[in-house]
Amino acid sequence: MTMVAEPTAVTSELNEDLQEAMNVVSKPCCDDPDAPAEDDVSRPVIARAVESSFYNAMELCFAQLSIEPKRILFVGACRQRDFARRLGFLLPFCKIVALDPEEAMVTKAEEEVACRFRFEYADLGKLPYNDNGFDLTIAHNLAEFTDKPKRAVDELARVTKHHLLISHHRPFIWFLMQGVGSVKQAMTQLGCSIPSGQYTNEWEQRLHDVADTQLKLSPLPWVMRMCRVKPKAPKRTALS
């Protein structure tokens, strides 16, 4: 009588694969339109107003796009997950790179979120991407991610072919609003923190050099700009 070995190893591998798939399915997805939003009536009115103002401004900025972006670089998406979710839902066919300068943030996002985004970390002062590699680059609450704003703006413009959507906090408004608990709750929902440094004038000046502002909006407590990147000068070579 022929003895057939029990497929214990194969069964075990299948169970592990199944469990891994179940774990992925159980994670929240960046593209999920039913995730908590600013219209949740259980949250404070001010918190909902801050978020609603921000997302309305974002949609007005997107209306300025001259092309349908195919590749997007999103600085801070690993922590600004509600914003990332909306972006993924609005632009379902884009390839989106979620970039963060902290490796721990990238690892945390990879463990907790299941979506089509590619999570990467890099220093904003030296991005590992080719020139004009992205159609649209987004950096919300920019000063939170760098202490070298001019260099960061240069790099963001270098890797961007068409549009830059950049926002920053307004220091004086932050000073007035920082004691309001519901504003902090809105910041938490948006994945933002108050930057310790004040670099607004530096990066605004540099942004003017590399891009033309198409639309400037002021959703409290930020300033948001949709910009068109200026054509890059051809690189000089030994023969030029």
Side-chain angles (χ1 to χ4, degrees):
M1 181 176 182
T2 304
M3 301 295 292
V4 178
E6 292 291 332
T8 305
V10 176
T11 303
S12 177
E13 290 176 2
L14 290 174
N15 288 339
E16 289 178 2
D17 291 342
L18 178 60
Q19 185 59 52
E20 182 178 351
M22 292 175 64
N23 289 339
V24 170
V25 171
S26 67
K27 297 177 183 178
C29 179
C30 285
D31 296 1
D32 182 7
D34 297 321
E38 78 278 0
D39 55 359
D40 181 356
V41 295
S42 66
R43 302 178 61 240
V45 173
I46 294 179
R48 286 184 280 136
V50 168
E51 293 170 36
S52 179
S53 175
F54 172 79
Y55 288 125
N56 287 340
M58 178 192 73
E59 292 188 14
L60 288 173
C61 285
F62 283 164
Q64 300 296 314
L65 291 172
S66 61
I67 49 92
E68 182 176 349
K70 301 299 183 184
R71 286 178 53 82
I72 296 176
L73 177 64
F74 187 173
V75 177
C78 294
R79 60 187 82 186
Q80 297 169 9
R81 296 185 188 175
D82 188 57
F83 186 4
R85 176 187 63 81
R86 288 168 183 269
L87 180 66
F89 183 64
L90 288 172
L91 301 170
F93 303 110
C94 292
K95 293 182 179 179
I96 300 175
V97 174
L99 179 75
D100 200 282
E102 294 184 25
E103 184 176 6
M105 284 291 179
V106 175
T107 301
K108 191 173 190 304
E110 289 177 329
E111 292 174 348
E112 296 178 355
V113 179
C115 69
R116 59 191 168 84
F117 293 7
R118 193 171 80 232
F119 299 103
E120 297 183 351
Y121 73 95
D123 182 353
L124 265 63
K126 191 176 182 180
L127 295 175
Y129 307 117
N130 295 330
D131 295 359
N132 300 324
F134 298 93
D135 298 311
L136 168 65
T137 293
I138 299 171
H140 173 43
N141 221 39
L142 176 65
E144 181 180 6
F145 303 109
T146 180
D147 59 358
K148 298 177 181 178
K150 289 184 178 180
R151 180 61 181 165
V153 170
D154 280 347
E155 279 292 276
L156 294 177
R158 178 184 67 78
V159 303
T160 305
K161 186 174 183 180
H162 295 291
H163 297 277
L164 280 170
L165 176 58
I166 296 184
S167 76
H168 68 87
H169 71 296
R170 288 186 279 175
F172 181 68
I173 299 298
W174 271 125
F175 176 77
L176 296 177
M177 301 178 70
Q178 62 184 350
V180 182
S182 52
V183 172
K184 290 184 176 180
Q185 182 178 3
M187 291 294 290
T188 300
Q189 182 70 22
L190 288 168
C192 300
S193 61
I194 301 176
S196 57
Q198 305 296 346
Y199 308 108
T200 302
N201 292 335
E202 292 182 48
W203 81 258
E204 283 187 334
Q205 180 181 0
R206 192 57 186 153
L207 183 63
H208 177 73
D209 294 336
V210 300
D212 295 315
T213 298
Q214 298 174 284
L215 183 64
K216 177 182 176 181
L217 300 170
S218 300
L220 289 176
W222 294 284
V223 173
M224 182 182 294
R225 286 178 173 83
M226 176 60 89
C227 304
R228 183 69 185 252
V229 177
K230 293 180 180 179
K232 300 171 180 62
K235 292 183 177 180
R236 295 182 63 85
T237 67
L239 300 178
S240 61

